[in-house]
Amino acid sequence: MTTLSPVRRREILQALRQGTVPAGNLDVLAVGIDRFAPTVDEDLDAIAAGGSVFKAVRGEYGSGKTFFARWIQQRAMRRGLAVAEVQISELETPLHKLETVYRRTTESLRTAAFPPSAFRSVLDAWLFGVEEDAATAAGVDEASEEQIDALLEQRLAAVATVTPVYPMVLRAYRAALAREDAATADALVAWLGGQPHVGAAAKRVAGVRQDVDHFLAMGFLQGLLAVLEGARHPGLLLVIDEVETLQRMRSDSRAKALNALRQWIDELDSGRYPGLYLLITGTPAFFDGRLGIQSLPPLAQRLHTDFTTDARFDNPRAPQIRLAGFDLEKLVEVGIRVRDVYANGASAPDRIRALVDDSYLRDLASAVAGKLGGQVGISPRLFLKKLVLDVLDRVDQFDDFDPRQHYALTVASTELTDTERAAVSADDVEL
């Protein structure tokens, strides 16, 4: 068991109380995905070396796709990479409009040192590095404006070829900082981050007029990768979560989104986005159904993976990987890990381990699965919430509390997700 600080332990337990995936230290809860670690680490090393990777993760609801994505993000940040997570939606973040995906990327961007949104912090770190390197190259304590501009142009040369306005606005942003014009600097950062409705006055200062559109965003993503590298973050892990929502879109929007995904994969293969790891997650219906990638044969061909063999022999290097749903043994194992995390920081750890022993964890796991129509695969979230909030907290706070005598599992409709609610009949839920 990984030794956790009191702060990290509290963060994990509080997230489980709320029924959400913890933000960090996921290795202590990772059950059943350890076999992917060597390949994931190889991919992340390739990204750090300037490569690009695409991976699709498939699994039913409750199989742990979000957990898996956060687990990879944690491993990426340990290597110094930046990470971002984008939820696709038809109205707010359609996949075929890259300007919205890019904007959500900058809004959710984070690093090991900076929480979301780390976009401005990364920009400032990059500019500071340019100024320092320009001074070092010139052999002076402080480089001149001309020397800094020359190095800035050199480092963004590849991006300037595709999107000349990116270095233009970066120069204008640096100039606004130098003259302490906070309003203009804020507006230019917003524009570089893909935000709409930036004031015309600020854009005039930088010599631009237009808002960021789909094609400009493609170049801006290259610019972001270049800035990240200059700020000593050798790449970006971008998670596109819940792509199965594309199936619920209108047919024309869905077709555009699928074609955009195909273009992304091709551009990653061509080397257009060095340092980008693009990870998508979705249900098997999205990958295999007629409203998913099968409706675009070129995309289906690129992602085709044979899953007819035993899951034990799945190739983690394939373009698609599948997550097996939780069975009772895995559910009990993750319960044991959570109990031990709790006990390691409790005032009476032996009492917690005695009252919430492995046998009780198995009984509780079976009971939660039973409340969800026997579907163990969608039980982990509710099981861990009940374990921490209703059982471990009470054992810790009340000396005479015995979960076998004083706790009876109840499940209210209001605490369930849509997927969990669909698995329960009305008679099984306390209203």
Side-chain angles (χ1 to χ4, degrees), residues 93-140:
T93 317
L95 185 58
H96 63 282
K97 292 186 177 180
L98 188 57
E99 66 270 26
T100 65
V101 177
Y102 172 76
R103 182 170 73 247
R104 299 301 183 201
T105 298
T106 61
E107 289 172 351
S108 65
L109 188 73
R110 64 189 177 104
T111 67
F114 298 108
S117 165
F119 180 62
R120 185 164 188 170
S121 299
V122 168
L123 276 183
D124 290 344
W126 182 79
L127 287 172
F128 180 74
V130 169
E131 293 172 2
E132 280 200 327
D133 292 347
T136 301
V140 296

Side-chain angles (χ1 to χ4, degrees), residues 294-344:
Q294 298 302 320
S295 63
L296 185 63
L299 178 59
Q301 293 163 9
R302 286 160 175 77
L303 297 186
H304 177 72
T305 303
D306 181 14
F307 290 118
T308 59
T309 56
D310 191 315
R312 293 178 301 163
F313 306 117
D314 283 357
N315 180 8
R317 296 173 180 170
Q320 277 189 66
I321 59 175
R322 63 175 164 180
L323 300 180
F326 265 69
D327 56 23
L328 188 60
E329 297 303 320
K330 291 179 181 177
L331 199 57
V332 173
E333 183 180 347
V334 75
I336 291 171
R337 294 192 183 194
V338 169
R339 178 202 61 201
D340 290 344
V341 166
Y342 198 108
N344 287 341

Side-chain angles (χ1 to χ4, degrees), residues 360 363-364 367-368 371 386 390-391 394 401-412 415 428 430:
Y360 177 79
D363 291 343
L364 181 63
V368 172
K371 291 287 187 179
K386 294 291 185 181
D390 292 348
V391 178
R394 287 170 172 165
F401 178 80
D402 184 337
R404 290 192 180 278
Q405 297 181 37
H406 305 124
Y407 176 66
L409 175 67
T410 60
V411 177
E415 65 180 319
D428 296 328
E430 179 183 299

Side-chain angles (χ1 to χ4, degrees), residues 171-184:
R171 280 200 308 272
Y173 170 64
R174 195 176 68 81
L177 291 176
R179 64 176 182 269
E180 298 183 354
D181 184 353
T184 299

